[in-house]
Amino acid sequence: MQWRNELDGALPVVVTTAPTATDTSGVPVQCVPGLSGGTPDQNAAALAGHTVVHLHGALTPASYDGWAENLFAPGQDAVFHYPMNQRAALLWYHDHVMGVTKFGVYAGLAGLWIIRDQRERELGLPEGPPFEVPLLIQDRNFGLDDSGRLTGQLVHKTDPEVMEAFPPFTVVNGKVWPRLDVQPATYRFRVLNGSNARTYRLVLLHNGEPELHRITQIGTDHGLLRTPARVPPDGLVLASAERADLLVDFSGLEPGSELTLLNTAAAPFDGAPFPATNAHNAADPGRMLPYPLVMSFRVVPGPVTRRTTPGELATDYRRPAPDALAGGPRRTIALVERELEGEPNTLTMRELVIADDDHTGPVVTVIDDEQTTRYRTAAAHFEDATTFFPVLGRYEVWQLINLTNDTHPIHVHLDPFQILSRRPIRYEIPEYGIEDLAITATVTLERDPDDELDHAIDDNERGLKDTVRVNPNEIAEIAVRFTTYSGRYMYHCHILEHEDRDMMRPFVTMPAELMPFMA
Ligand SMILES: [Cu+2]
């Protein structure tokens, strides 16, 4: 693949931080178009079009993975070799520049990439138009002219209290609130949440009532599930970068019928439930969800065709055996937000290692029943020394401890992983416990009395994933195994404003026989 950087001119996005979080009538500035009194960010305006492409979900040699510092200037090009030796899946390619991925993707440097394979063909699934339709869901905000009309100018607006942009308008395949004409047939929708920060919880409504029974999920980030899954009763949750392969049955609907796809997830998303039966009341401007509408469908006349979904979709993966996991390394990562005066907070992934008995500095103490483990921080920032050196072919368990109030979608480059567990925690962080590198915290593996999340793994999360939602008050454990390429890769939060504000770390995959020679 030859990527040619033909960007020219200034960044086609006005970037601003509004001076206050709400306007004079008390409406959050994130929910309205225009700059809300903010001045355009001159540093963003001066960006000159450097880019690097990451093919998200691909098993890619390290030199073609899109390392965030290996940039291509306008006029330069890159030839990346993508072996495509992997299962059928919906991937996406997007800009990944250090510190400004949020602007590059927001400006439009993102697209879909579909891999096919024989197993998918055997199942006779819809392939291509009209019955297979990609749906790239994003949120965008726009400028206003002097008379208050939308100009179409892209605006990335944050405010002093919210570092992520949660724009009010939902676009699907680049169009605000589109309508798709559908025949009374089974459609296959390849859905990607390509938003910077917003998590969606999608509910299909007909005559104001949820009709989730029309949806069967057959695939996730890295392709087909073992068996078809119902979407969860509250709706299909997709955080940034998560994908869903859906069969949606419109048969049995009269021509002229209208259905709507709504989002019921307020922002920032914290996993809190919202019943699908209440979806028509989901609008909540105070929590950055002014317009729940995502898109609509109108049934047009046509032959009625309903597909039966095969009961078995894929047999080429299984949950790793306990003994395969027991012998492998365990890695512990704490997700931490650090509040700063006069500048946006930083978010980091603190890589924790078990502290020696004579360690006297700050520790994270994890209490799991009888067992207490003390961890010190080995690394926090992207440029800190690498501490993860996974050996090719060997399972590892990574545990992600969320010490923030929001859900973070954590993406690991290269091979997919499987979600093993989500366990409720309660934790305490003393005043000044969060330092630049070190952190002091006590984490107890039991439910916080105020915690209303169920911490379940949904059926549609039991496939091969490359992005996992880690909810507040939770430890998520994933089984990671790299099998293909050696080299330097990244893992990070896929909320782009978090990734750009340091929630990203390197890891280096290694062939086993080289490990004895590592200094
Ligand atoms: Cu995050």
Side-chain angles (χ1 to χ4, degrees):
M1 170 65 84
Q2 184 184 28
W3 296 106
R4 294 171 54 168
N5 185 345
E6 297 185 355
L7 297 171
D8 60 6
L11 180 78
V13 178
V14 175
V15 175
T16 195
T17 302
T20 57
T22 54
D23 66 14
T24 47
S25 46
V27 178
V29 294
Q30 296 262 15
C31 292
V32 296
L35 303 190
S36 302
T39 48
D41 183 320
Q42 293 310 308
N43 291 329
L47 290 170
H50 289 81
T51 188
V52 61
V53 185
H54 170 57
L55 181 55
H56 181 129
L59 302 183
T60 306
S63 39
Y64 309 122
D65 193 53
W67 183 260
E69 294 164 319
N70 293 350
L71 310 185
F72 299 91
Q76 297 175 342
D77 61 6
V79 179
F80 281 10
H81 180 57
Y82 296 128
M84 298 286 96
N85 184 17
Q86 61 185 98
R87 32 192 346 254
L90 172 67
L91 279 47
W92 63 306
Y93 57 95
H94 62 77
D95 184 69
H96 212 310
V97 175
M98 199 73 201
V100 293
T101 295
K102 55 184 179 271
F103 303 140
V105 172
Y106 196 83
L109 294 177
L112 304 180
W113 180 296
I114 291 177
I115 301 178
R116 309 284 188 193
D117 69 8
Q118 189 57 33
R119 176 56 185 164
E120 187 188 78
R121 294 246 155 85
E122 287 166 5
L123 294 172
L125 298 167
E127 189 176 312
F131 295 114
E132 184 191 33
V133 183
L135 301 176
L136 166 56
I137 302 176
Q138 298 171 305
D139 53 358
R140 290 293 181 268
N141 202 351
F142 305 104
L144 295 173
D145 67 14
D146 291 341
S147 57
R149 279 188 297 243
L150 288 166
T151 61
Q153 167 70 55
L154 281 170
V155 170
H156 182 282
K157 181 169 56 180
T158 53
D159 68 56
E161 290 169 23
V162 181
M163 67 180 296
E164 309 88 359
F166 291 110
F169 303 109
T170 306
V171 299
V172 183
N173 299 346
K175 186 170 180 177
V176 178
W177 304 323
R179 186 179 72 191
L180 180 68
D181 285 346
V182 293
Q183 298 173 35
T186 303
Y187 278 70
R188 182 182 185 194
F189 293 120
R190 314 297 300 270
V191 188
L192 161 69
N193 177 0
S195 299
N196 279 25
R198 187 180 294 274
T199 295
Y200 298 85
R201 180 169 40 214
L202 300 171
V203 178
L204 184 67
L205 259 71
H206 181 217
N207 296 328
E209 296 295 324
E211 297 210 339
L212 293 174
H213 64 272
R214 294 186 180 279
I215 308 177
T216 304
Q217 185 164 350
I218 58 170
T220 180
D221 301 349
H222 272 249
L224 292 171
L225 294 162
R226 288 179 64 90
T227 55
R230 290 269 153 232
V231 300
D234 278 6
L236 172 66
V237 179
L238 289 178
S240 298
E242 286 190 297
R243 285 90 80 200
D245 192 348
L246 306 176
L247 295 177
V248 180
D249 181 8
F250 295 106
S251 69
L253 289 165
E254 292 298 315
S257 300
E258 291 248 357
L259 299 93
T260 52
L261 191 64
L262 297 190
N263 171 29
T264 68
F269 186 70
D270 58 7
F274 191 94
T277 48
N278 204 21
H280 56 284
N281 288 324
D284 187 353
R287 296 203 51 216
M288 265 83 84
L289 183 60
Y291 309 113
L293 182 63
V294 173
M295 66 178 294
S296 59
F297 303 95
R298 185 181 60 178
V299 181
V300 298
V304 176
T305 46
R306 174 186 286 142
R307 285 167 192 271
T308 52
T309 310
E312 183 177 73
L313 298 168
T315 56
D316 63 337
Y317 73 93
R318 62 180 54 180
R319 194 184 156 93
D323 58 330
L325 297 174
R330 291 180 66 84
R331 304 191 193 275
T332 303
I333 304 138
L335 315 182
V336 177
E337 180 160 10
R338 182 163 184 246
E339 295 188 8
L340 296 170
E341 278 300 320
E343 58 176 316
N345 296 346
T346 58
L347 287 123
T348 47
M349 299 201 282
R350 316 264 174 139
E351 294 172 357
L352 305 180
V353 295
I354 292 173
D356 293 334
D357 288 343
D358 58 357
H359 176 78
T360 54
V363 289
V364 176
T365 304
V366 176
I367 302 163
D368 186 358
D369 264 340
E370 309 283 86
Q371 194 181 348
T372 297
T373 312
R374 294 162 72 244
Y375 296 93
R376 65 177 172 82
T377 310
H381 305 289
F382 184 72
E383 306 293 357
D384 291 346
T386 305
T387 76
F388 287 7
F389 293 89
V391 169
L392 289 182
R394 187 164 74 181
Y395 270 114
E396 310 196 337
V397 176
W398 293 17
Q399 54 172 344
L400 299 147
I401 308 175
N402 191 343
L403 302 181
T404 79
N405 297 323
D406 303 324
T407 298
H408 299 271
I410 303 300
H411 170 48
V412 182
H413 285 214
L414 200 56
D415 291 69
F417 54 76
Q418 293 187 61
I419 306 173
L420 295 173
S421 66
R422 287 197 174 100
R423 303 171 70 191
I425 57 170
R426 61 181 178 80
Y427 62 90
E428 285 158 42
I429 301 174
E431 199 173 1
Y432 308 114
I434 299 175
E435 301 168 55
D436 180 56
L437 174 69
I439 172 170
T440 305
T442 304
V443 177
T444 308
L445 276 130
E446 61 184 31
R447 180 176 285 275
D448 188 291
D450 298 326
D451 181 4
E452 60 172 0
L453 308 190
D454 64 7
H455 302 285
I457 302 171
D458 295 331
D459 287 342
N460 59 7
E461 294 183 300
R462 296 185 187 279
L464 295 176
K465 296 281 290 169
D466 60 37
T467 305
V468 57
R469 298 188 303 275
V470 186
N471 297 300
N473 293 107
E474 178 173 295
I475 293 181
E477 284 194 331
I478 59 175
V480 178
R481 183 174 58 161
F482 302 101
T483 58
T484 47
Y485 302 107
S486 304
R488 187 166 290 266
Y489 293 89
M490 303 175 287
Y491 73 100
H492 57 88
C493 181
H494 221 288
I495 291 176
L496 302 182
E497 287 83 0
H498 294 183
E499 169 187 340
D500 285 342
R501 197 67 188 152
D502 220 9
M503 209 169 186
M504 179 158 78
R505 284 284 302 152
F507 64 89
V508 176
T509 56
M510 298 284 286
E513 63 272 23
L514 276 187
M515 291 305 279
F517 299 93
M518 291 285 292

